[in-house]
Amino acid sequence: MISQTIQKQIRKLVLPLGIPNTVDELKLAVKEAFVITEEFSLQYMDSDFHDFFTLTSTDQIQHKDTVKVVFPSPVVLTFCYSGADVSTTQSDDALSSSSQDTLILSPQSSPDRLPWPQEFTIPCFSPEVQIVLEKAMEAYMRDGTLMSVQNVKRNITERLTQAIYAYTAYPSGMQIICVAEALVRKYPCLKEPGSLSGYYGWQMSLKYKMADYRRRLSKFGCPEVTCNTLKSKSPENRKPAKNVKKPRKAEVNYLPPYPTGQSEESLEQERLELLSEVKKRDNTMVIKAKMAKTFALRRHEVVNLSPRVVDFKDRWPALFNPQQINEEFRRITTLDLEPKFMQMLDQYTPNLLSIFCAKGGALGQTLQDKMVAIHQVF
């Protein structure tokens, strides 16, 4: 159990499988536990110097140690005009100057999807909507008055749609219900009069708002939704509801865009280089880097082209290495394959053993013999 400091909040992180082997795995656990989308670094409290130092290895921390989550500060660039020349300087007090044009570059958030949380967190709305909601909550707490949502419903559904998209572009009906339920639980003043659940109208509004949001994303070339446009489908499948390609359960990074500065041609060149690298000995790190770089190209082939296994193996022989199978599973689901498999195996083992013991006939006798051997080992 590690105490985490996030934006001046001290919280606990429980790691059921223990402290991960790498810093990247620990950062992934922090992202999943606290629903963080921005990039950050980790620092640990050194017992000798009583100060925080950058965490470079998980061997530097132990049970109940304190780890700080550090977000990078925005970079402020001030453009000073001098005749025809433009000079760029970095200034700490640039925000206070009205005679200069200031550009604030915020840290770019990770393009990776997040797994759907166990409990959906309602995001903050725009300042004007928050003011209206605070006043409505005061009236609700005073006399139970429900709020008229005509003026703010569009802003609320738009912000919730963006929050949903951080997890998935194609939320299921149950996921939309979870969002609507979380909304009226946080703001009871938004309950609908006459509705049995109090959120059915919100549920339907979010459903249609997500469909409209996907249409807008397709115009900007978002691959996860453009693969389902009629132009992208084969002639026999050109119907809106036919052969819709969307993530299955646990598929977080279903169809990511190409990395910044990369195209299909450049990634194809990386794939050809990978064919040569995979033939070399002791070349694990290079293969791992190139496989991570070409992940988007590989997903485009799987989702859009549906190649045969034998053809896909010829194009991506490195993927059929056990280590890369684990890495690809982590890229798609953000989970580690082997620990997740062992965790679920431990969970279902008692039920499996009871099924084996209840089996009869020749198969049951065979299973009984194997069960005796298992009991002797343990």
Side-chain angles (χ1 to χ4, degrees):
M1 189 154 42
I2 302 174
S3 174
Q4 302 286 342
T5 304
I6 301 181
Q7 296 180 347
K8 297 183 180 179
Q9 298 181 10
I10 300 177
R11 302 170 66 181
K12 291 183 179 180
L13 173 64
V14 179
L15 302 170
L17 301 179
I19 298 176
N21 296 326
T22 65
V23 177
D24 290 338
E25 293 174 353
L26 179 59
K27 290 173 66 176
L28 183 61
V30 174
K31 282 187 176 182
E32 294 176 0
F34 303 127
V35 195
I36 300 176
T37 57
E38 296 84 6
E39 288 299 322
F40 60 87
S41 60
L42 296 176
Q43 296 181 357
Y44 71 100
M45 173 63 74
D46 188 276
S47 58
D48 296 329
F49 294 90
H50 300 287
D51 201 354
F52 284 98
F53 290 80
T54 302
L55 183 66
T56 58
S57 173
T58 54
D59 295 334
Q60 297 169 316
I61 56 176
Q62 299 177 359
H63 178 57
K64 292 187 178 180
D65 273 359
T66 301
V67 176
K68 179 189 289 187
V69 176
V70 181
F71 295 93
S73 302
V75 178
V76 179
L77 299 179
T78 304
F79 295 87
C80 304
Y81 293 87
S82 177
D85 297 330
V86 179
S87 60
T88 304
T89 60
Q90 184 170 348
S91 173
D92 293 332
D93 57 351
L95 294 176
S96 62
S97 175
S98 60
S99 61
Q100 298 170 336
D101 294 334
T102 303
L103 173 66
I104 301 180
L105 303 178
S106 301
Q108 185 177 6
S109 59
S110 171
D112 293 341
R113 285 277 193 268
L114 294 171
W116 190 265
Q118 294 182 352
E119 184 175 346
F120 190 87
T121 302
I122 299 300
C124 293
F125 300 108
S126 59
E128 59 271 19
V129 173
Q130 288 292 150
I131 293 175
V132 173
L133 287 175
E134 290 175 2
K135 292 182 178 180
M137 282 299 299
E138 291 177 359
Y140 177 83
M141 298 299 294
R142 184 172 57 252
D143 52 21
T145 303
L146 297 180
M147 175 184 173
S148 176
V149 300
Q150 297 300 325
N151 296 330
V152 297
K153 189 170 186 178
R154 181 178 178 180
N155 292 334
I156 291 176
T157 54
E158 183 75 22
R159 182 67 186 93
L160 290 177
T161 299
Q162 296 172 0
I164 293 173
Y165 182 71
Y167 302 101
T168 176
Y170 293 91
S172 65
M174 186 56 64
Q175 290 172 334
I176 291 180
I177 289 176
C178 291
V179 177
E181 186 178 10
L183 176 65
V184 299
R185 183 168 59 247
K186 183 175 182 179
Y187 299 106
C189 60
L190 296 177
K191 289 182 179 180
E192 299 168 330
S195 172
L196 183 62
S197 62
Y199 54 76
Y200 180 75
W202 289 107
Q203 173 189 341
M204 300 307 297
S205 296
L206 288 173
K207 176 182 177 181
Y208 293 114
K209 196 70 175 180
M210 280 301 304
D212 180 66
Y213 193 62
R214 287 193 294 267
R215 282 193 291 270
R216 282 184 283 161
L217 288 173
S218 66
K219 295 179 181 179
F220 292 98
C222 177
E224 193 172 358
V225 294
T226 54
C227 67
N228 290 316
T229 59
L230 296 182
K231 293 182 180 179
S232 302
K233 293 184 177 182
S234 57
E236 63 273 12
N237 292 328
R238 283 182 180 171
K239 294 181 180 179
K242 188 174 182 181
N243 195 25
V244 176
K245 300 174 181 177
K246 57 184 178 180
R248 298 181 181 180
K249 185 178 181 180
E251 289 183 337
V252 179
N253 296 317
Y254 177 67
L255 190 58
Y258 293 140
T260 304
Q262 299 292 334
S263 63
E264 184 176 353
E265 292 74 19
S266 63
L267 293 178
E268 177 64 17
Q269 184 61 36
E270 291 284 344
R271 186 192 70 82
L272 295 176
E273 294 177 4
L274 187 59
L275 293 177
S276 300
E277 297 292 342
V278 77
K279 298 177 182 178
K280 301 177 182 179
R281 299 178 58 183
D282 301 327
N283 206 21
T284 305
M285 297 305 296
V286 175
I287 293 175
K288 182 178 179 180
K290 288 188 175 294
M291 286 292 290
K293 190 175 183 179
T294 55
F295 172 65
L297 177 63
R298 210 156 42 250
R299 292 301 299 169
H300 278 252
E301 290 185 12
V302 171
V303 174
N304 295 323
L305 303 179
S306 302
R308 298 187 306 163
V309 175
V310 62
D311 297 333
F312 195 70
K313 188 174 182 179
D314 290 339
R315 287 179 57 81
W316 303 97
L319 181 61
F320 293 81
N321 177 279
Q323 181 179 359
Q324 284 305 315
I325 291 176
N326 293 333
E327 289 293 327
E328 194 78 353
F329 185 87
R330 184 183 59 80
R331 296 183 192 107
I332 296 174
T333 67
T334 71
L335 300 173
D336 291 317
L337 176 58
E338 292 184 7
K340 183 65 175 178
F341 174 78
M342 298 305 295
Q343 177 187 356
M344 300 309 295
L345 182 62
D346 291 341
Q347 178 179 340
Y348 290 108
T349 293
N351 293 335
L352 292 173
L353 292 178
S354 62
I355 294 175
F356 296 158
C357 293
K359 206 71 175 176
L363 177 58
Q365 185 60 45
T366 302
L367 292 174
Q368 289 292 338
D369 296 339
K370 294 184 180 297
M371 292 290 293
V372 171
I374 292 175
H375 289 304
Q376 289 177 350
V377 173
F378 294 98

